[in-house]
Amino acid sequence: MTVTDPSTTTGLRHRFPGLRGDWARLDGPGGTQIVDTAVEAMTRYLTSGDNANTEGMFAAADATDEVVARGRAAMGELFGTDPRGVVFGPNTTSLVIDLAQTVAAGLGPGDEIVCTRLDHDANVAPWLRIAARTGATVRLADVDTDTGRLPTENVTRLLSDRTRWVAVTGASNALGSIPDVAAVAGAAHAAGARVLVDAVHLTPHRPVDRTALGADVLVSSAYKWYGPHLGVLCADPDLLDALDPDRVRPAPQVAPDRWQTGTPSFEAIAAATEAARFVLDHARAVDETAVFAPLLDGLLAMPHVRVHGPHDHTDRTPTVAFTVAGHRADDVARHLARQRIATWSGIFYAHEVMHALGLHEDGAVRAGLSCYTSTEDVDRLLRAVDALA
Ligand SMILES: Cc1ncc(COP(=O)(O)O)c(C=O)c1O
């Protein structure tokens, strides 16, 4: 079902216990509120007596096995991926660091990794670090700074038979732009490289299908899509078996478990299972553009505001970065907070693109829609920014 009346997007607000009070929460790209069914699943697990480790000889351990199996099945559905290749970890950054360190064992001088300046640093810095260690080279694809977009050819022109991995984002957490990942992945595979897609910012807004995107590995974080603080890595189980991550000797030797160091947060897995269900069944059905268009258009119409990144609605998420003439980004965010409007200011760990845009010192303000954002929230933001003229 697609919701067409913007006012009805508030129809999901009652599902978020954290939305009590009159705060306008436009901070979703930094982390959303958690949906009621996810909160309940976490509480249920923690209070049920099932709290135990996996693979035991008693009922609670069996129940915990079931929590993990259900979690992997839900991620399989959310990300179009084989549940046998689903790895849970603390967050996306840790999972990418682990993957890069594991991949490093097979890299040396002459090997190349292609990253992009559109990416969050979680999908750049780990590759820079292993390149420094192994003698491999990282080549960085440039963003078009006028549009805030990543042209496919800026990535494909860096590919060669030396390319081993291509690391690309599904959507920019700073600017909202969505690159053509499937085209990048197709070209990367034709060059013989593997592809890692950071789907953290894309997941709450668009269907994400690992296989259709052509991602060998895909990562995401449940706290960006109405769930708990938990990272998810999805890959072909054969690839996870072929790589050799650091682990302790008694740990499982087969994927995906051999990638999960130590004991995962079972309560977070239980909650993320429900968050995935909510994204699939409800969140993505909201017509975000109906709420976002007045926000983007309103900011673009203000002479004292500069919007960074795409100025249109094609291939973007409902996330916008902007600066206000004569005001530092942190001060704008503080001004908004005094009116109970939550936004983020800074560079959002989008290190490369914010440098490329010359925004690395004062940063920008970022406002992003979640499925619970109302047109009233947007009006309040616009009125408060307008008052800074
Ligand atoms: C696009 C993107 N990638 C990666 C990350 C890092 O995720 P985590 O905080 O789970 O390590 C974030 C977090 O803001 C993000 O927005």
Side-chain angles (χ1 to χ4, degrees):
M1 177 193 69
T2 297
V3 179
T4 46
D5 176 1
S7 63
T8 62
T9 57
T10 57
L12 292 175
R13 284 177 84 95
H14 72 282
R15 300 288 310 275
F16 293 88
L19 287 181
R20 276 186 306 268
D22 61 349
W23 275 88
R25 298 299 298 259
L26 292 144
D27 58 325
T32 61
Q33 294 301 298
I34 185 163
V35 68
D36 54 4
T37 42
V39 177
E40 286 154 20
M42 183 176 276
T43 309
R44 199 165 46 244
Y45 177 75
L46 290 173
T47 55
S48 62
D50 289 343
N51 198 3
N53 217 316
T54 48
E55 297 184 18
M57 304 302 145
F58 56 105
D62 292 345
T64 300
D65 286 339
E66 186 55 28
V67 164
V68 176
R70 287 188 61 235
R72 289 197 171 124
M75 299 311 133
E77 212 180 318
L78 185 64
F79 295 118
T81 197
D82 185 336
R84 292 170 307 159
V86 171
V87 176
F88 293 110
N91 51 54
T92 286
T93 306
S94 304
L95 288 167
V96 177
I97 288 173
D98 282 354
L99 176 73
Q101 281 176 356
T102 305
V103 163
L107 295 181
D111 290 326
E112 295 188 354
I113 301 149
V114 172
C115 297
T116 94
R117 292 194 199 278
L118 196 64
D119 273 79
H120 185 286
D121 213 40
N123 204 19
V124 182
W127 299 105
L128 291 171
R129 290 178 72 92
I130 62 151
R133 221 174 62 225
T134 60
T137 302
V138 169
R139 310 193 72 192
L140 273 170
D142 285 325
V143 172
D144 177 337
T145 49
D146 290 335
T147 61
R149 295 191 182 278
L150 177 72
T152 301
E153 55 277 17
N154 285 9
V155 185
T156 53
R157 76 161 72 103
L158 302 180
L159 298 171
S160 74
D161 59 4
R162 294 184 298 278
T163 314
R164 298 286 166 261
W165 279 81
V166 174
V168 62
T169 191
S172 161
N173 68 311
L175 310 178
S177 41
I178 298 178
D180 189 345
V181 169
V184 167
H189 287 152
R194 295 212 183 261
V195 177
L196 167 63
V197 174
D198 172 354
V200 172
H201 186 61
L202 189 64
T203 305
H205 304 295
R206 294 284 177 96
V208 178
D209 186 308
R210 183 182 74 79
T211 317
L213 285 174
D216 295 284
V217 183
L218 182 140
V219 283
S220 194
S221 297
Y223 74 98
K224 308 285 190 176
W225 31 274
Y226 316 113
H229 293 95
L230 179 76
V232 186
L233 179 147
C234 314
D236 192 315
D238 292 340
L239 174 61
L240 294 181
D241 271 332
L243 294 167
D244 190 21
D246 280 347
R247 59 193 182 281
V248 294
R249 286 173 297 175
Q253 295 303 309
V254 291
D257 288 329
R258 71 183 197 152
W259 283 80
Q260 286 181 183
T261 47
T263 308
S265 172
F266 300 121
E267 58 274 26
I269 295 171
T273 304
E274 294 305 324
R277 210 45 288 143
F278 175 77
V279 170
L280 286 163
D281 293 347
H282 301 289
R284 292 207 194 112
V286 169
D287 181 3
E288 294 175 324
T289 307
V291 186
F292 185 62
L295 172 58
L296 181 62
D297 296 346
L299 291 172
L300 285 169
M302 292 183 198
H304 62 298
V305 170
R306 181 148 176 226
V307 170
H308 306 276
H311 286 192
D312 59 18
H313 291 282
T314 310
D315 294 334
R316 73 167 308 147
T317 64
T319 294
V320 60
F322 62 95
T323 44
V324 181
H327 301 273
R328 293 170 60 92
D330 283 353
D331 293 334
V332 176
R334 270 191 211 103
H335 160 81
L336 295 170
R338 280 194 288 275
Q339 300 174 57
R340 301 177 75 73
I341 301 165
T343 57
W344 279 106
S345 53
I347 68 162
F348 327 115
Y349 282 30
H351 181 89
E352 293 291 338
V353 77
M354 295 301 274
H355 270 73
L357 292 170
L359 294 169
H360 50 289
E361 289 197 347
D362 281 355
V365 182
R366 179 182 65 186
L369 265 52
S370 302
C371 69
Y372 44 72
T373 311
S374 67
T375 46
E376 192 201 336
D377 294 336
V378 165
D379 285 348
R380 285 174 59 193
L381 176 91
L382 289 173
R383 279 199 302 274
V385 174
D386 199 34
L388 292 171

